[in-house]
Amino acid sequence: EMNKLGAAILMISKGTPFWQAGEEMLRTKDGDENSYKSSDAINNINWSVLEAGAREYETMLYYKGLIEMRKAYPIFTDSATVVTEEELGSGILAVNFDDGKGGRALAVINPHAQALPYALDGEWNLVADASKAGADVFARENGNITADAIGVRVYVNDALVKP
């Protein structure tokens, strides 16, 4: 979950995202922090972990969805401004983006091990949560929602959704 949270925060941030090879499949190099002198068994990417249903495969699909989301919604790559960053008393961080042309996005970031309540202002289109991300809207939400534990919920307004 923490890996997905970090990747999601990176993909809604300004600048060019950078990942280490294999990060999307939870590659660790068995904890070897300086593997330049290590064997191929440590340094090679083990593609066999990408089997349907495996944790590594699900994480790779999440990263793929984050890339699709970032490409589909230029508000995360263009010159949109962060209107507000608000850390709520619960520890949730809410980040509001505005592209200056009517497009808005909202990221609700919950780094805590328990799900927490959050009140949405208006109706939003959900494009990423703690387990799924992509270009397509997979839910419309308003009012009180639950921010996923160790997760992010990324919303865009109707102005950003392509018909």
Side-chain angles (χ1 to χ4, degrees):
E1 290 82 17
M2 196 62 79
N3 189 288
K4 289 179 180 180
L5 174 61
I9 291 170
L10 182 65
M11 293 305 278
I12 62 169
S13 298
K14 297 290 180 212
T16 304
F18 178 83
W19 289 323
Q20 295 289 332
E23 179 180 330
E24 72 284 1
M25 61 176 73
L26 305 174
R27 180 172 178 232
T28 65
K29 293 189 177 189
D30 292 331
D32 189 339
E33 294 180 12
N34 193 2
S35 67
Y36 78 94
K37 64 185 179 332
S38 297
S39 68
D40 288 346
I42 295 294
N43 283 306
N44 285 346
I45 293 176
N46 180 5
W47 297 101
S48 68
V49 300
L50 295 179
E51 295 178 6
R55 188 174 61 129
E56 294 86 353
Y57 183 75
E58 298 304 319
T59 304
M60 180 272 302
L61 290 178
Y62 187 75
Y63 272 60
K64 181 180 178 190
L66 290 173
I67 293 167
E68 291 170 1
M69 177 194 74
R70 187 172 168 98
K71 285 182 178 180
Y73 301 103
I75 195 164
F76 301 117
T77 58
D78 288 348
S79 59
T81 58
V82 173
V83 178
T84 59
E85 281 182 29
E86 179 182 12
E87 184 179 347
L88 306 175
S90 64
I92 287 178
L93 178 65
V95 183
N96 285 284
F97 301 84
D98 189 326
D99 69 3
K101 301 176 272 188
R104 291 178 51 225
L106 169 67
V108 179
I109 301 166
N110 179 9
H112 299 284
Q114 69 274 1
L116 295 170
Y118 180 80
L120 290 173
D121 182 18
E123 191 160 8
W124 290 89
N125 302 297
L126 184 64
V127 293
D129 65 13
S131 61
K132 182 178 177 183
D136 296 331
V137 171
F138 59 91
R140 283 185 59 82
E141 296 183 339
N142 61 37
N144 295 323
I145 58 116
T146 301
D148 306 311
I150 309 175
V152 64
R153 295 180 82 74
V154 180
Y155 297 94
V156 294
N157 71 351
D158 289 338
L160 295 177
V161 178
K162 295 180 175 108

